[in-house]
Amino acid sequence: KGVHVVAVDHTDKLAALTSLGVDEVIDYTTSDFTEREAAYDVVVDGVGKSDYRRTLDAIVPGGYYVMGNAPLGSMVRRFIPMMSRGRRPRIALAGYRLEDLERLAQLATEGRLKPVIDKTYPLSEVVAAHRYVESGKKIGNVVLTMGER
């Protein structure tokens, strides 16, 4: 679609991100992605850990700040000071619509959507799977299987 994708993660994950086709990687242990010269049109924080103030300042006026895994109350509390400084962040809650899921299924069937699966655990090992996710070492998704494999 002609976008320049910048991925931010830990040193150990940068090669995997590059292999997925991102244009640029930033190691958050050595650099702050908000200190780039060029501003971002969209920032997607998939884990809700970026500094809200610095991230908003790094987005172009009218740009988008999309967050995942951030509690709504926490998100609103952090955005109120930004609004008082004249910034108007766009806040939206994700939802699932049948047509969106059908489109994702179509893209997967066509091979155009390739989910990244890091590890697979049987449901009986859900605690181990959860611990692995919390370790911060996963790249992609952790899948729980049900039944015999």
Side-chain angles (χ1 to χ4, degrees), residues 12-147:
D12 299 339
K13 299 181 183 180
L14 300 182
L17 292 168
T18 301
S19 74
L20 293 173
V22 300
D23 299 298
E24 183 180 347
V25 291
I26 296 176
D27 181 347
Y28 70 74
T29 66
T30 60
S31 301
D32 182 346
F33 78 95
T34 64
E35 293 178 354
R36 288 172 42 113
E37 240 179 85
Y40 300 96
D41 295 309
V42 178
V43 170
V44 178
D45 181 354
V47 294
K49 289 187 177 181
S50 64
D51 180 279
Y52 295 92
R53 178 169 297 195
R54 288 196 320 259
T55 301
L56 279 173
D57 287 343
I59 298 172
V60 300
Y64 291 87
Y65 187 0
V66 181
M67 290 185 291
N69 296 327
L72 181 60
S74 169
M75 188 170 51
V76 170
R77 279 193 306 278
R78 290 184 170 128
F79 276 135
I80 288 173
M82 302 308 114
M83 295 171 75
S84 67
R85 290 178 33 216
R87 295 299 305 255
R88 298 285 181 225
R90 297 177 186 202
I91 301 172
L93 300 177
Y96 298 100
R97 299 180 314 176
L98 180 58
E99 56 267 25
D100 295 334
L101 296 175
E102 289 170 341
R103 177 70 176 136
L104 290 173
Q106 176 187 358
L107 291 171
T109 300
E110 294 170 359
R112 295 172 53 202
L113 173 67
K114 298 176 184 164
V116 177
I117 298 176
D118 184 327
K119 289 191 177 195
T120 301
Y121 291 86
L123 185 58
S124 61
E125 294 180 27
V126 67
V127 173
H130 201 276
R131 284 188 182 129
Y132 181 66
V133 169
E134 288 181 337
S135 75
K137 296 178 182 176
K138 78 175 189 80
I139 298 173
N141 296 289
V142 172
V143 176
L144 293 174
T145 58
M146 306 194 51

